[in-house]
Amino acid sequence: MVRESAEDAYRLGALDRFLKPWIRDRLHSLGGLLDSCDTRRQLAEDTRAFAEAAAKYSELRDELFSDVHHTRPEPFWRIVGQKKMAIRAQSGVLLRQPAFVLRRLDAGSDIPGAATWDFTVIANSSDSRAEAGPKRGR
């Protein structure tokens, strides 16, 4: 319910293509923990983790919405999850600035510490149908 109300209240257009699948996967993995609880303490801890993930998602959407829809100093990168993704959405009200998404891909690497990243520039972040140009790199 928190997820749905946050998505309804803070519409983010093209950024939803990245945010919605991420939060659904995150909540699904946390929901699986609830099924394996053996004690009330485990249930309380896992339920709290689930609720915190939903609340942090709502806060993130609020922050990104504010970055896009309010004129103020240039925003910084918003870190999503455990450094799995970072988003920078600049004001689209007066200046029509692009949004940027940097995602860590889970593809394995033979080099310890190396990671593959997907960098996407969204020219019109308010349009949920906007095409974005990904660039991959290490």
PDB file of all heavy atoms in Angstrom, residues 85-109:
ATOM      1  N   MET A  85      21.870   1.270  -7.641  1.00  0.00           N
ATOM      2  CA  MET A  85      21.438   2.243  -8.636  1.00  0.00           C
ATOM      3  C   MET A  85      21.593   3.641  -8.038  1.00  0.00           C
ATOM      4  O   MET A  85      21.489   3.820  -6.826  1.00  0.00           O
ATOM      5  CB  MET A  85      19.973   1.966  -9.005  1.00  0.00           C
ATOM      6  CG  MET A  85      19.398   2.873 -10.040  1.00  0.00           C
ATOM      7  SD  MET A  85      17.745   2.383 -10.698  1.00  0.00           S
ATOM      8  CE  MET A  85      16.873   1.725  -9.307  1.00  0.00           C
ATOM      9  N   ALA A  86      21.837   4.618  -8.909  1.00  0.00           N
ATOM     10  CA  ALA A  86      21.863   6.020  -8.496  1.00  0.00           C
ATOM     11  C   ALA A  86      21.099   6.808  -9.556  1.00  0.00           C
ATOM     12  O   ALA A  86      21.196   6.516 -10.749  1.00  0.00           O
ATOM     13  CB  ALA A  86      23.290   6.533  -8.381  1.00  0.00           C
ATOM     14  N   ILE A  87      20.335   7.801  -9.095  1.00  0.00           N
ATOM     15  CA  ILE A  87      19.510   8.593 -10.000  1.00  0.00           C
ATOM     16  C   ILE A  87      19.757  10.066  -9.725  1.00  0.00           C
ATOM     17  O   ILE A  87      19.815  10.488  -8.571  1.00  0.00           O
ATOM     18  CB  ILE A  87      18.012   8.284  -9.821  1.00  0.00           C
ATOM     19  CG1 ILE A  87      17.740   6.819 -10.148  1.00  0.00           C
ATOM     20  CG2 ILE A  87      17.154   9.210 -10.680  1.00  0.00           C
ATOM     21  CD1 ILE A  87      16.321   6.378  -9.869  1.00  0.00           C
ATOM     22  N   ARG A  88      19.869  10.824 -10.798  1.00  0.00           N
ATOM     23  CA  ARG A  88      19.985  12.275 -10.679  1.00  0.00           C
ATOM     24  C   ARG A  88      18.947  12.879 -11.605  1.00  0.00           C
ATOM     25  O   ARG A  88      19.051  12.758 -12.829  1.00  0.00           O
ATOM     26  CB  ARG A  88      21.371  12.742 -11.061  1.00  0.00           C
ATOM     27  CG  ARG A  88      21.557  14.219 -10.854  1.00  0.00           C
ATOM     28  CD  ARG A  88      23.030  14.550 -10.855  1.00  0.00           C
ATOM     29  NE  ARG A  88      23.191  15.956 -10.650  1.00  0.00           N
ATOM     30  CZ  ARG A  88      23.909  16.724 -11.446  1.00  0.00           C
ATOM     31  NH1 ARG A  88      24.520  16.203 -12.491  1.00  0.00           N
ATOM     32  NH2 ARG A  88      24.030  17.995 -11.190  1.00  0.00           N
ATOM     33  N   ALA A  89      17.941  13.479 -11.035  1.00  0.00           N
ATOM     34  CA  ALA A  89      16.854  14.081 -11.805  1.00  0.00           C
ATOM     35  C   ALA A  89      16.841  15.574 -11.537  1.00  0.00           C
ATOM     36  O   ALA A  89      16.597  16.004 -10.412  1.00  0.00           O
ATOM     37  CB  ALA A  89      15.523  13.454 -11.423  1.00  0.00           C
ATOM     38  N   GLN A  90      17.125  16.341 -12.569  1.00  0.00           N
ATOM     39  CA  GLN A  90      17.188  17.783 -12.428  1.00  0.00           C
ATOM     40  C   GLN A  90      15.861  18.429 -12.800  1.00  0.00           C
ATOM     41  O   GLN A  90      15.017  17.799 -13.417  1.00  0.00           O
ATOM     42  CB  GLN A  90      18.297  18.327 -13.321  1.00  0.00           C
ATOM     43  CG  GLN A  90      19.653  17.727 -13.002  1.00  0.00           C
ATOM     44  CD  GLN A  90      20.704  18.210 -13.949  1.00  0.00           C
ATOM     45  OE1 GLN A  90      21.125  19.342 -13.866  1.00  0.00           O
ATOM     46  NE2 GLN A  90      21.108  17.352 -14.858  1.00  0.00           N
ATOM     47  N   SER A  91      15.713  19.685 -12.450  1.00  0.00           N
ATOM     48  CA  SER A  91      14.476  20.417 -12.678  1.00  0.00           C
ATOM     49  C   SER A  91      13.996  20.324 -14.121  1.00  0.00           C
ATOM     50  O   SER A  91      14.712  20.635 -15.052  1.00  0.00           O
ATOM     51  CB  SER A  91      14.646  21.891 -12.310  1.00  0.00           C
ATOM     52  OG  SER A  91      13.483  22.608 -12.646  1.00  0.00           O
ATOM     53  N   GLY A  92      12.769  19.862 -14.279  1.00  0.00           N
ATOM     54  CA  GLY A  92      12.151  19.800 -15.599  1.00  0.00           C
ATOM     55  C   GLY A  92      11.125  20.895 -15.785  1.00  0.00           C
ATOM     56  O   GLY A  92      10.483  20.984 -16.816  1.00  0.00           O
ATOM     57  N   VAL A  93      10.944  21.744 -14.772  1.00  0.00           N
ATOM     58  CA  VAL A  93       9.905  22.775 -14.815  1.00  0.00           C
ATOM     59  C   VAL A  93      10.294  23.916 -15.732  1.00  0.00           C
ATOM     60  O   VAL A  93       9.622  24.197 -16.715  1.00  0.00           O
ATOM     61  CB  VAL A  93       9.597  23.299 -13.392  1.00  0.00           C
ATOM     62  CG1 VAL A  93       8.576  24.409 -13.438  1.00  0.00           C
ATOM     63  CG2 VAL A  93       9.117  22.170 -12.512  1.00  0.00           C
ATOM     64  N   LEU A  94      11.378  24.585 -15.440  1.00  0.00           N
ATOM     65  CA  LEU A  94      11.785  25.738 -16.238  1.00  0.00           C
ATOM     66  C   LEU A  94      12.879  25.408 -17.245  1.00  0.00           C
ATOM     67  O   LEU A  94      12.893  25.937 -18.344  1.00  0.00           O
ATOM     68  CB  LEU A  94      12.288  26.861 -15.315  1.00  0.00           C
ATOM     69  CG  LEU A  94      11.275  27.410 -14.313  1.00  0.00           C
ATOM     70  CD1 LEU A  94      11.956  28.414 -13.390  1.00  0.00           C
ATOM     71  CD2 LEU A  94      10.113  28.069 -15.046  1.00  0.00           C
ATOM     72  N   LEU A  95      13.791  24.546 -16.859  1.00  0.00           N
ATOM     73  CA  LEU A  95      14.984  24.323 -17.670  1.00  0.00           C
ATOM     74  C   LEU A  95      14.947  23.071 -18.532  1.00  0.00           C
ATOM     75  O   LEU A  95      15.792  22.904 -19.392  1.00  0.00           O
ATOM     76  CB  LEU A  95      16.215  24.285 -16.756  1.00  0.00           C
ATOM     77  CG  LEU A  95      16.413  25.535 -15.902  1.00  0.00           C
ATOM     78  CD1 LEU A  95      17.581  25.344 -14.956  1.00  0.00           C
ATOM     79  CD2 LEU A  95      16.625  26.753 -16.778  1.00  0.00           C
ATOM     80  N   ARG A  96      13.993  22.184 -18.289  1.00  0.00           N
ATOM     81  CA  ARG A  96      13.897  20.922 -19.044  1.00  0.00           C
ATOM     82  C   ARG A  96      15.242  20.188 -19.090  1.00  0.00           C
ATOM     83  O   ARG A  96      15.774  19.880 -20.138  1.00  0.00           O
ATOM     84  CB  ARG A  96      13.395  21.165 -20.470  1.00  0.00           C
ATOM     85  CG  ARG A  96      12.023  21.765 -20.534  1.00  0.00           C
ATOM     86  CD  ARG A  96      10.996  20.687 -20.271  1.00  0.00           C
ATOM     87  NE  ARG A  96       9.664  21.264 -20.339  1.00  0.00           N
ATOM     88  CZ  ARG A  96       8.703  20.991 -19.505  1.00  0.00           C
ATOM     89  NH1 ARG A  96       8.902  20.124 -18.550  1.00  0.00           N
ATOM     90  NH2 ARG A  96       7.530  21.540 -19.621  1.00  0.00           N
ATOM     91  N   GLN A  97      15.755  19.902 -17.917  1.00  0.00           N
ATOM     92  CA  GLN A  97      17.026  19.206 -17.787  1.00  0.00           C
ATOM     93  C   GLN A  97      16.821  17.689 -17.909  1.00  0.00           C
ATOM     94  O   GLN A  97      15.767  17.186 -17.552  1.00  0.00           O
ATOM     95  CB  GLN A  97      17.664  19.527 -16.441  1.00  0.00           C
ATOM     96  CG  GLN A  97      18.002  20.983 -16.262  1.00  0.00           C
ATOM     97  CD  GLN A  97      19.103  21.422 -17.186  1.00  0.00           C
ATOM     98  OE1 GLN A  97      20.089  20.716 -17.364  1.00  0.00           O
ATOM     99  NE2 GLN A  97      18.943  22.572 -17.792  1.00  0.00           N
ATOM    100  N   PRO A  98      17.827  16.987 -18.358  1.00  0.00           N
ATOM    101  CA  PRO A  98      17.708  15.526 -18.439  1.00  0.00           C
ATOM    102  C   PRO A  98      17.835  14.882 -17.061  1.00  0.00           C
ATOM    103  O   PRO A  98      18.263  15.508 -16.102  1.00  0.00           O
ATOM    104  CB  PRO A  98      18.895  15.127 -19.325  1.00  0.00           C
ATOM    105  CG  PRO A  98      19.901  16.201 -19.089  1.00  0.00           C
ATOM    106  CD  PRO A  98      19.105  17.473 -18.866  1.00  0.00           C
ATOM    107  N   ALA A  99      17.458  13.625 -16.988  1.00  0.00           N
ATOM    108  CA  ALA A  99      17.662  12.814 -15.791  1.00  0.00           C
ATOM    109  C   ALA A  99      18.692  11.746 -16.134  1.00  0.00           C
ATOM    110  O   ALA A  99      18.846  11.358 -17.297  1.00  0.00           O
ATOM    111  CB  ALA A  99      16.350  12.164 -15.355  1.00  0.00           C
ATOM    112  N   PHE A 100      19.397  11.283 -15.127  1.00  0.00           N
ATOM    113  CA  PHE A 100      20.451  10.287 -15.324  1.00  0.00           C
ATOM    114  C   PHE A 100      20.217   9.110 -14.387  1.00  0.00           C
ATOM    115  O   PHE A 100      19.876   9.296 -13.224  1.00  0.00           O
ATOM    116  CB  PHE A 100      21.824  10.897 -15.032  1.00  0.00           C
ATOM    117  CG  PHE A 100      22.087  12.167 -15.784  1.00  0.00           C
ATOM    118  CD1 PHE A 100      21.869  13.394 -15.190  1.00  0.00           C
ATOM    119  CD2 PHE A 100      22.534  12.128 -17.088  1.00  0.00           C
ATOM    120  CE1 PHE A 100      22.102  14.572 -15.875  1.00  0.00           C
ATOM    121  CE2 PHE A 100      22.765  13.294 -17.787  1.00  0.00           C
ATOM    122  CZ  PHE A 100      22.548  14.529 -17.181  1.00  0.00           C
ATOM    123  N   VAL A 101      20.430   7.906 -14.896  1.00  0.00           N
ATOM    124  CA  VAL A 101      20.284   6.694 -14.094  1.00  0.00           C
ATOM    125  C   VAL A 101      21.542   5.855 -14.296  1.00  0.00           C
ATOM    126  O   VAL A 101      21.934   5.570 -15.431  1.00  0.00           O
ATOM    127  CB  VAL A 101      19.039   5.884 -14.516  1.00  0.00           C
ATOM    128  CG1 VAL A 101      18.920   4.623 -13.673  1.00  0.00           C
ATOM    129  CG2 VAL A 101      17.783   6.734 -14.406  1.00  0.00           C
ATOM    130  N   LEU A 102      22.154   5.470 -13.190  1.00  0.00           N
ATOM    131  CA  LEU A 102      23.323   4.604 -13.215  1.00  0.00           C
ATOM    132  C   LEU A 102      22.949   3.343 -12.456  1.00  0.00           C
ATOM    133  O   LEU A 102      22.608   3.401 -11.275  1.00  0.00           O
ATOM    134  CB  LEU A 102      24.512   5.304 -12.546  1.00  0.00           C
ATOM    135  CG  LEU A 102      25.828   4.546 -12.503  1.00  0.00           C
ATOM    136  CD1 LEU A 102      26.351   4.297 -13.912  1.00  0.00           C
ATOM    137  CD2 LEU A 102      26.849   5.311 -11.689  1.00  0.00           C
ATOM    138  N   ARG A 103      22.961   2.189 -13.157  1.00  0.00           N
ATOM    139  CA  ARG A 103      22.567   0.918 -12.531  1.00  0.00           C
ATOM    140  C   ARG A 103      23.706  -0.075 -12.590  1.00  0.00           C
ATOM    141  O   ARG A 103      24.337  -0.240 -13.625  1.00  0.00           O
ATOM    142  CB  ARG A 103      21.371   0.298 -13.257  1.00  0.00           C
ATOM    143  CG  ARG A 103      20.096   1.055 -13.091  1.00  0.00           C
ATOM    144  CD  ARG A 103      18.955   0.361 -13.785  1.00  0.00           C
ATOM    145  NE  ARG A 103      19.273   0.155 -15.195  1.00  0.00           N
ATOM    146  CZ  ARG A 103      18.754  -0.800 -15.949  1.00  0.00           C
ATOM    147  NH1 ARG A 103      17.908  -1.658 -15.452  1.00  0.00           N
ATOM    148  NH2 ARG A 103      19.073  -0.899 -17.223  1.00  0.00           N
ATOM    149  N   ARG A 104      23.912  -0.753 -11.475  1.00  0.00           N
ATOM    150  CA  ARG A 104      24.896  -1.836 -11.442  1.00  0.00           C
ATOM    151  C   ARG A 104      24.217  -3.085 -11.951  1.00  0.00           C
ATOM    152  O   ARG A 104      23.163  -3.479 -11.445  1.00  0.00           O
ATOM    153  CB  ARG A 104      25.389  -2.040 -10.018  1.00  0.00           C
ATOM    154  CG  ARG A 104      26.465  -3.079  -9.939  1.00  0.00           C
ATOM    155  CD  ARG A 104      26.981  -3.206  -8.537  1.00  0.00           C
ATOM    156  NE  ARG A 104      28.077  -4.153  -8.539  1.00  0.00           N
ATOM    157  CZ  ARG A 104      28.934  -4.290  -7.572  1.00  0.00           C
ATOM    158  NH1 ARG A 104      28.835  -3.534  -6.512  1.00  0.00           N
ATOM    159  NH2 ARG A 104      29.898  -5.172  -7.650  1.00  0.00           N
ATOM    160  N   LEU A 105      24.808  -3.712 -12.942  1.00  0.00           N
ATOM    161  CA  LEU A 105      24.253  -4.938 -13.501  1.00  0.00           C
ATOM    162  C   LEU A 105      24.809  -6.126 -12.730  1.00  0.00           C
ATOM    163  O   LEU A 105      25.957  -6.122 -12.304  1.00  0.00           O
ATOM    164  CB  LEU A 105      24.584  -5.042 -14.990  1.00  0.00           C
ATOM    165  CG  LEU A 105      24.118  -3.856 -15.838  1.00  0.00           C
ATOM    166  CD1 LEU A 105      24.556  -4.033 -17.280  1.00  0.00           C
ATOM    167  CD2 LEU A 105      22.610  -3.694 -15.756  1.00  0.00           C
ATOM    168  N   ASP A 106      23.992  -7.149 -12.567  1.00  0.00           N
ATOM    169  CA  ASP A 106      24.398  -8.314 -11.782  1.00  0.00           C
ATOM    170  C   ASP A 106      25.208  -9.332 -12.567  1.00  0.00           C
ATOM    171  O   ASP A 106      25.521 -10.386 -12.045  1.00  0.00           O
ATOM    172  CB  ASP A 106      23.161  -8.998 -11.191  1.00  0.00           C
ATOM    173  CG  ASP A 106      22.533  -8.155 -10.089  1.00  0.00           C
ATOM    174  OD1 ASP A 106      23.261  -7.377  -9.464  1.00  0.00           O
ATOM    175  OD2 ASP A 106      21.327  -8.278  -9.874  1.00  0.00           O
ATOM    176  N   ALA A 107      25.542  -9.011 -13.790  1.00  0.00           N
ATOM    177  CA  ALA A 107      26.325  -9.950 -14.593  1.00  0.00           C
ATOM    178  C   ALA A 107      27.665 -10.203 -13.910  1.00  0.00           C
ATOM    179  O   ALA A 107      28.333  -9.274 -13.468  1.00  0.00           O
ATOM    180  CB  ALA A 107      26.556  -9.390 -15.994  1.00  0.00           C
ATOM    181  N   GLY A 108      28.033 -11.450 -13.821  1.00  0.00           N
ATOM    182  CA  GLY A 108      29.269 -11.829 -13.145  1.00  0.00           C
ATOM    183  C   GLY A 108      30.496 -11.358 -13.907  1.00  0.00           C
ATOM    184  O   GLY A 108      30.482 -11.181 -15.114  1.00  0.00           O
ATOM    185  N   SER A 109      31.556 -11.163 -13.175  1.00  0.00           N
ATOM    186  CA  SER A 109      32.826 -10.749 -13.756  1.00  0.00           C
ATOM    187  C   SER A 109      33.919 -11.646 -13.209  1.00  0.00           C
ATOM    188  O   SER A 109      33.870 -12.067 -12.054  1.00  0.00           O
ATOM    189  CB  SER A 109      33.108  -9.284 -13.404  1.00  0.00           C
ATOM    190  OG  SER A 109      34.399  -8.939 -13.840  1.00  0.00           O
TER     191      SER A 109
END
